[in-house]
Amino acid sequence: QPHGAVHLSHNDDRARKHTQYTANLGWHSDHMQILDADAASDIAGVALPGPALFYPQAATVRPRDVCAALAAPLTIFYGTAITHIERR
């Protein structure tokens, strides 16, 4: 299962900021690393135009799945007109 997050260094300014960010935090490469375009592309599964900042252990969510999980216990009535709302 894919994991992690790739943040593109889409221009020289962003690449410099990513490099400074990693240097300032001093995190181990298990947590954050700068990747060249080839390595970033391999992880992303698509060709990327340049380097990227990679967080290997980052968690991501799919909004559709989160919404489905939150709505699962609800009863949903389609095609129903609401004529009155009452606070209990």
Side-chain angles (χ1 to χ4, degrees), residues 21-76:
Y21 185 62
T22 58
N24 289 340
L25 287 178
W27 288 3
H28 188 273
S29 63
D30 286 350
H31 306 295
M32 179 172 51
Q33 53 192 275
I34 298 289
L35 303 176
D36 64 20
D38 290 335
S41 296
D42 286 344
I43 288 170
V46 296
L48 298 176
L53 178 58
F54 178 52
Y55 296 92
Q57 297 176 335
T60 58
V61 296
R62 291 176 20 171
R64 180 180 293 202
D65 292 346
V66 171
C67 291
L70 291 172
L74 302 177
T75 301
I76 300 173

Side-chain angles (χ1 to χ4, degrees), residues 2-25:
H3 61 281
V6 174
H7 294 262
L8 301 179
S9 302
H10 52 82
N11 59 37
D12 290 341
D13 183 53
R14 180 64 61 178
R16 185 174 51 258
K17 286 180 181 178
H18 283 168
T19 300
Q20 289 172 345
Y21 185 62
T22 58
N24 289 340
L25 287 178

